Amino acid sequence: MDQPPKAIVGAVFVALVLVANRTSAAPTRAEVNTTAPRRARLAPLAPNDATRSHAPYESGRCGLCHVNKDASKPGPIRHASVNEQCFECHDDMRDVMSRKYKHAAAVKACTECHNAHDSIEPALLSGEMVELCLSCHVGMRRELAKSKTRHEALTKDRKCSNCHNPHAVSYDVRLLVAEFPAELSAPYEPARYALCFGCHNEKMVAVERTTTLTGFRAGSRNLHYAHVNRGRHTCRVCHEVHASRRDHEIRERAPYGAKGSTIELGYRRLSSGGSCAKVCHDARKYDNKTLTSAGPARE
Amino acid sequence: MRPAARVTMRRLSLPIAVSLLAATPLTAKARAEPGTSIENLELKTLAGAKERLLSAKAKANVFVFFRTKQQRSIDGLMQLAACEKELAARSTYWTAIVSSSEATADVQSVVEQTGIQMPVLIDEGDVLYGRLGVRLHPMVAIANASFNLVALEPYRKGDYCEIIKMRTKALIGEGDVAGKGAASVRSQSSGADPATKAMRDVNMARRLLEIGQYNDSVKFAQRALAVAPVSAAYTVMGHAYAKLGRCAESEKAFSDALKLDPKDPDAAAAQGSCK
């Protein structure tokens, strides 16, 4: 009897590994605790504690929002809903909140995240932004707690809102501020990566040969190009977008299929580059210190 | 390979072609650390001349990596143009760095659009970009007179110039220790554009008008105008002045509203009504 081709043996082996490693769909990072105690405080901060104030409060015109003008007894707000009260001045936000995909907290009440009186945070947030977000997004809190590397976008500048609109967007259930492919495999079109390329250099994926644009290369052969551009694999197949226990925010386990299954990637950082386990192809390592035009070497 | 085996392979390849392997993306670790010595390269300028990247005569060398057709680069350079102007009299040396793969016309367009005065140097083959592990655009590098890197600052919306100014002033001995105040600057950023912010004050002015607080209404309309010239602020102000019996000021406010927006129906209807 003929021996089966080695490629089939290898493929079957990998398929068995996949089945063995199949995990439940949607890891708990997506978990949101909607019953978490509200972190946002509504009451004004102690005198001199606040660094910024809401104009009506600062000017002492309590009657703009409350039924009474008296600061010692302002009473309830004038409108039946918090958001309607806010929209009276912030009518631009009424338009924002009419978009299709809305942040549940923002639908509930602006005061879920903002202190309507004063704050030490930008935009009168009632707490530091990441902490505020994680107070409900408990799955993400767990994810970050066990991570080694974090996406810089998460820690700098506008933090979570570098990538997410905390109010509402028209086109993306993830509330992303620009396009980013949800699927694992897609033809390479730079416009579809507008979110990433808003900061990152698209040439990292666009050029076949480079010695400067990325460290993920074998000699001058750009492996980002090989995977994302020619190979049609999207960023999230290999990278965690928030944080990871691996260097370079490489995933420990890559998603595959439509049911949220994952498989170990086995990435290792090496002094001259890195290596991956035998998963999608044979185990390979790449050397970005030696300038040859060779592809990744098989281990 | 036998046909059957080929089919089997094809069937198996789909679920197996799950992922890519490693990648070496753009983390802070790839980026040059403060203290890194920077070679003072001589680079070609956009105008075709040659210019050094750094100047030993300047206490602070500031160079910004940008690319064309990227909104953040445009926004960042606009802020840095103001920064450059403000620090022009100080001991600073500014340059902008762009990849040799960018089209000259596109670069020139960015220079004109943003108003930067600094020379634009061409990074042939992205060599400097690669050495410093820049990876993001725009990115400001600040080096001292000894050509040691002091900071690499990625773009921040709203307060980029303030951060660069703070770091630069620290280097030339006018500010606090580099970076100490940066966190406080970062927290100043605010999202809304000036016109939107101004309209919020206009809406407050309207509400104050409704509840009979006319003087306060005028104040908030003026506050709105200090943020952005929106016609609605003048219109509300006109109504408030009219209620206060200050007809000359009311007329002027309606007139100013119509100058900004000749189609403002409210201002047009109200003009001449204060008697």
Side-chain angles (χ1 to χ4, degrees):
Chain A
M1 189 177 156
D2 289 347
Q3 290 292 315
K6 281 183 182 173
I8 291 185
V9 173
V12 169
F13 170 76
V14 174
L16 289 172
V17 172
L18 284 172
V19 171
N21 284 299
R22 192 178 167 115
T23 58
S24 62
T28 54
R29 86 182 59 166
E31 187 186 343
V32 178
N33 183 0
T34 51
T35 60
R38 190 221 302 260
R39 285 186 56 85
R41 53 173 293 158
L42 295 176
L45 303 182
N48 302 322
D49 277 2
T51 54
R52 58 204 79 201
S53 301
H54 197 195
Y57 173 70
E58 189 176 16
S59 61
R61 295 172 179 90
C62 305
L64 277 170
C65 303
H66 293 274
V67 292
N68 301 323
K69 292 179 186 175
D70 184 355
S72 63
K73 287 182 185 172
I77 55 172
R78 292 173 27 251
H79 284 273
S81 93
V82 170
N83 287 9
E84 277 306 315
Q85 180 65 60
C86 300
F87 294 159
E88 193 170 83
C89 290
H90 296 258
D91 54 355
D92 53 304
M93 292 309 298
R94 187 193 298 279
D95 295 338
V96 170
M97 290 308 295
S98 67
R99 294 172 184 164
K100 184 174 179 184
Y101 300 103
K102 302 171 179 64
H103 187 195
V107 172
K108 193 172 173 187
C110 306
T111 47
E112 287 293 298
C113 300
H114 299 278
N115 185 324
H117 297 102
D118 55 13
S119 172
I120 58 168
E121 297 293 334
L124 295 179
L125 287 178
S126 57
E128 188 277 326
M129 179 184 278
V130 176
E131 271 304 309
L132 195 60
C133 298
L134 296 182
S135 65
C136 289
H137 293 269
V138 292
M140 185 54 63
R141 182 187 287 283
R142 280 196 297 268
E143 189 78 11
L144 296 183
K146 64 186 182 184
S147 68
K148 174 183 164 188
T149 55
R150 290 188 185 186
H151 190 189
E152 199 172 359
L154 198 69
T155 59
K156 295 278 173 69
D157 197 17
R158 315 185 100 200
K159 300 177 181 171
C160 306
S161 60
N162 279 319
C163 299
H164 298 280
N165 185 322
H167 300 112
V169 299
S170 305
Y171 47 81
D172 194 301
V173 71
R174 300 163 293 177
L175 299 178
L176 293 176
V177 297
E179 200 168 346
F180 177 66
E183 60 268 41
L184 302 172
S185 180
Y188 177 66
E189 295 169 31
R192 295 214 58 207
Y193 293 87
L195 186 70
C196 308
F197 294 153
C199 299
H200 294 284
N201 191 346
E202 68 216 69
K203 280 201 300 180
M204 169 188 67
V205 179
V207 300
E208 193 171 354
R209 300 269 170 194
T210 180
T211 57
T212 54
L213 297 170
T214 176
F216 184 38
R217 56 189 165 77
S220 64
R221 185 173 170 237
N222 181 353
L223 299 177
H224 272 129
Y225 170 88
H227 285 97
V228 182
N229 190 324
R230 202 194 60 208
R232 300 179 168 205
H233 299 295
T234 59
C235 308
R236 59 185 287 264
V237 173
C238 286
H239 291 287
E240 290 284 4
V241 291
H242 295 103
S244 168
R245 279 195 263 196
R246 301 278 183 183
D247 288 317
H248 311 304
E249 292 146 50
I250 305 286
R251 286 178 179 275
E252 285 189 279
R253 304 181 67 82
Y256 76 94
K259 295 181 180 174
S261 301
T262 64
I263 185 169
E264 174 79 35
L265 264 183
Y267 170 73
R268 281 188 300 136
R269 182 180 186 153
L270 304 173
S271 59
S272 59
S275 70
C276 286
K278 181 176 182 176
V279 182
C280 311
H281 43 63
D282 284 342
R284 287 183 189 175
K285 63 180 178 184
Y286 61 93
D287 181 349
N288 58 25
K289 301 288 188 256
T290 311
L291 293 185
T292 70
S293 57
R298 294 184 180 199
E299 282 194 319
Chain B
M1 196 187 290
R2 289 172 305 169
R6 228 176 273 136
V7 169
T8 311
M9 264 302 288
R10 218 172 286 147
R11 281 181 186 156
L12 284 168
S13 66
L14 199 61
I16 293 166
V18 176
S19 89
L20 330 180
L21 305 182
T24 305
L26 325 159
T27 62
K29 284 180 182 173
R31 209 173 281 163
E33 297 287 340
T36 302
S37 179
I38 301 171
E39 186 184 348
N40 192 11
L41 299 168
E42 189 178 57
L43 300 170
K44 207 165 86 177
T45 69
L46 191 61
K50 285 200 168 177
E51 193 100 36
R52 289 278 173 191
L53 172 68
L54 308 166
S55 168
K57 291 178 186 169
K59 287 182 181 171
N61 287 281
V62 183
F63 52 104
V64 52
F65 291 84
F66 73 98
R67 65 180 198 256
T68 64
K69 298 173 184 170
Q70 186 211 20
Q71 194 55 46
R72 289 167 72 92
S73 280
I74 306 285
D75 295 345
L77 286 178
M78 279 180 168
Q79 288 198 50
L80 293 172
C83 235
E84 178 191 18
K85 199 172 171 185
E86 201 174 320
L87 295 177
R90 311 295 213 292
S91 179
T92 57
Y93 180 70
W94 298 70
T95 50
I97 315 294
V98 71
S99 168
S100 57
S101 64
E102 298 276 8
T104 305
D106 291 341
V107 178
Q108 272 164 344
S109 166
V110 169
V111 171
E112 282 164 24
Q113 189 181 350
T114 59
I116 54 168
Q117 299 297 311
M118 59 191 97
V120 177
L121 308 184
I122 313 297
D123 186 13
E124 197 63 48
D126 299 298
V127 168
L128 188 58
Y129 175 98
R131 281 186 194 171
L132 295 181
V134 174
R135 305 293 191 258
L136 308 173
H137 286 116
M139 177 80 81
V140 166
I142 301 175
N144 60 21
S146 305
F147 304 162
N148 291 320
L149 184 68
V150 172
L152 275 174
E153 281 288 354
Y155 176 67
R156 288 178 176 82
K157 196 171 182 178
D159 53 11
Y160 203 34
C161 174
E162 288 303 314
I163 289 168
I164 302 307
K165 249 181 2 192
M166 185 171 294
R167 289 209 180 274
T168 306
K169 283 185 172 180
L171 199 52
I172 60 181
E174 289 185 18
D176 63 356
V177 178
K180 260 195 171 177
S184 61
V185 169
R186 278 168 202 153
S187 66
Q188 302 298 317
S189 61
S190 179
D193 62 273
T196 303
K197 282 183 187 171
M199 280 310 296
R200 291 172 185 168
D201 282 335
V202 170
N203 289 331
M204 267 183 56
R206 280 187 185 133
R207 172 67 191 147
L208 288 161
L209 181 69
E210 282 169 17
I211 61 176
Q213 296 186 18
Y214 307 126
N215 283 314
D216 289 343
S217 178
V218 169
K219 280 181 194 165
F220 272 92
Q222 286 169 337
R223 197 175 110 134
L225 289 167
V227 178
V230 287
S231 66
Y234 283 115
T235 307
V236 175
M237 199 189 293
H239 286 298
Y241 277 135
K243 290 283 186 187
L244 291 165
R246 293 159 67 174
C247 291
E249 286 151 299
S250 171
E251 283 305 307
K252 182 172 185 324
F254 288 132
S255 168
D256 288 341
L258 290 167
K259 277 182 200 161
L260 281 175
D261 179 9
K263 293 177 182 172
D264 184 333
D266 192 9
Q271 221 176 9
S273 62
C274 183
K275 286 167 186 165

